[in-house]
Amino acid sequence: MTALSFDEDGVDVVYEGTEFRLEKTLIEEATEKSYPDVTDHEVLQIVEENPSLNGEPRRIADILR
């Protein structure tokens, strides 16, 4: 399971026991969207090759409220 923790500057990720950070600029470059408009599903797709996408995608702007 992958854990994502969002803040204003990026995402802390725990993937297969490894912790790392995806910076806001990296996410924007990878998705070609502004950070608040990126969804949690899109971030998960950056981390995992074939993620299990459950539920509705949520925009980062909505998560940070």
Side-chain angles (χ1 to χ4, degrees), residues 27-47:
I27 294 168
E28 289 176 331
E29 289 174 12
T31 61
E32 298 181 347
K33 291 177 155 181
S34 91
Y35 183 68
D37 293 327
V38 176
T39 67
D40 56 345
H41 286 191
E42 290 170 313
V43 173
L44 197 54
Q45 290 172 322
I46 293 171
V47 176

Side-chain angles (χ1 to χ4, degrees), residues 2 4 6 11 13 20 22-24 26-63:
T2 301
L4 304 175
F6 297 87
V11 182
V13 180
F20 58 94
L22 294 175
E23 295 295 330
K24 174 182 175 177
L26 177 81
I27 294 168
E28 289 176 331
E29 289 174 12
T31 61
E32 298 181 347
K33 291 177 155 181
S34 91
Y35 183 68
D37 293 327
V38 176
T39 67
D40 56 345
H41 286 191
E42 290 170 313
V43 173
L44 197 54
Q45 290 172 322
I46 293 171
V47 176
E48 294 186 42
E49 189 171 324
N50 293 309
S52 174
L53 302 174
N54 297 323
E56 291 294 316
R58 294 178 56 210
R59 290 176 52 238
I60 292 174
D62 295 332
I63 293 169

